[in-house]
Amino acid sequence: MRTQHRLGALFERMAIIAAIATLLLAACGGSAAPTATPIPATPLAPSPTPMPTATIPGPVDTPTAVPTASPTPTRAMMATPATGSEASAGLIFRIVPEQSEARYRVREQLLGRSLPNDAVGSTRAIEGRIVFMADGAIDSAQSRVTVDLTTLRSDEARRDNYIKQNTLEVARFPKAEFQPTAARGLPWPLPQSGEFSFQLEGNLTVHGVTKPVVWDVRATVDGSRITGTATTTVTFADFGMTQPRVPIVLSVEETITLELDFTVEPQS
């Protein structure tokens, strides 16, 4: 019993010593826990180089030049100055009726006459104007000359009555009208004095029929007035008229000569 008691005490002391040794080892690091092998750090992938961002230029507020509107040409701008002539600004010429005369001339052979005779009828019942633009061209829309055919007179009343009633039919077509369209060969600017000639083109309306005609014009400038004579030829058939047929007239030529003695002055 005594021996067992001693052995128990011995084991108890040994256990105490072992516990103390364990504590000492722990304190001195003798029983260090295995050190974990460090995992090498994976190098971070380099940050991607940022792509250059394209800079889209915005609208530049550049002031836009507003085109300056070209001035509308005026009559004064169109005119070409011409020394010594007011025609450079354009001219309007008015017919002076009391100093002008329109005529027709037809060759006829009368009964009892050995030689042919010119039947001539005339009138001063004329009105109208011719408008020239700055470059000398005629403004046809504004130009017109009219003749009152009911006032035609010749040296024979019976002839006049027949022509008015049967040939011209003045009850239906009382006026002849001429619309000038061009002046070929007209000197421009107009001279201040002297004589000149040209051809005046246009449309003539007689007996309800309109035909183009050309007048041969001879004119004289005297101060502000221009005087002259214009002539042209037509036929009865041109304007749908029949030749006169009366007992005392043996024959009448088909051709009619038209004449105009004129005086024109600038319209104020």
Side-chain angles (χ1 to χ4, degrees):
M1 284 293 292
R2 197 170 207 176
T3 302
Q4 290 179 348
H5 179 73
R6 291 177 178 176
L7 289 173
L10 180 60
F11 286 136
E12 183 177 353
R13 290 177 182 175
M14 291 177 67
I16 293 170
I17 293 170
I20 293 171
T22 300
L23 290 174
L24 291 174
L25 287 173
C28 295
S31 300
T35 303
T37 302
I39 299 173
T42 303
L44 295 176
S47 300
T49 303
M51 296 293 291
T53 304
T55 302
I56 301 175
V60 179
D61 295 334
T62 302
T64 302
V66 179
T68 304
S70 299
T72 302
T74 63
R75 191 177 187 87
M77 293 171 62
M78 293 170 58
T80 302
T83 303
S85 176
E86 61 182 344
S88 61
L91 285 173
I92 300 175
F93 283 106
R94 180 187 69 88
I95 289 181
V96 182
E98 59 272 18
Q99 298 180 28
S100 303
E101 182 178 276
R103 293 185 300 273
Y104 72 82
R105 189 182 298 273
V106 180
R107 180 60 58 94
E108 64 182 6
Q109 178 65 56
L110 298 178
L111 182 65
R113 300 272 183 95
S114 58
L115 297 175
N117 175 68
D118 280 347
V120 180
S122 63
T123 179
R124 291 187 180 273
I126 311 166
E127 62 181 10
R129 65 180 189 171
I130 300 179
V131 179
F132 290 93
M133 295 186 287
D135 59 357
I138 292 178
D139 184 349
S140 59
Q142 303 296 324
S143 302
R144 201 88 54 182
V145 177
T146 60
V147 176
D148 184 357
L149 300 178
T150 66
T151 62
L152 282 170
R153 297 288 186 274
S154 71
D155 60 351
E156 177 58 58
R158 288 180 297 177
R159 177 195 294 117
D160 296 340
N161 291 335
Y162 183 91
I163 290 176
K164 290 177 184 178
Q165 293 176 13
N166 300 283
T167 305
L168 293 172
E169 296 183 273
V170 296
R172 294 175 58 196
F173 312 106
K175 292 186 177 183
E177 182 178 272
F178 176 66
Q179 180 184 27
T181 57
R184 305 298 181 191
L186 176 70
W188 195 266
L190 292 174
Q192 291 186 318
S193 62
E195 299 182 356
F196 57 91
S197 61
F198 63 97
Q199 289 188 318
L200 184 62
E201 301 177 4
N203 299 310
L204 177 64
T205 301
V206 177
H207 198 243
V209 178
T210 301
K211 292 284 185 179
V213 298
V214 178
W215 298 77
D216 293 319
V217 183
R218 291 182 301 170
T220 301
V221 179
D222 182 13
S224 62
R225 289 192 171 193
I226 300 176
T227 60
T229 300
T231 61
T232 190
T233 57
V234 297
T235 66
F236 288 98
D238 285 340
F239 296 94
M241 299 182 296
T242 57
Q243 293 174 259
R245 295 284 187 269
V246 293
I248 63 170
V249 179
L250 295 177
S251 64
V252 175
E253 290 188 2
E254 173 69 12
T255 301
I256 308 168
T257 300
L258 302 178
E259 302 172 344
L260 176 64
D261 293 339
F262 63 85
T263 296
V264 298
E265 61 184 7
Q267 180 173 306
S268 56

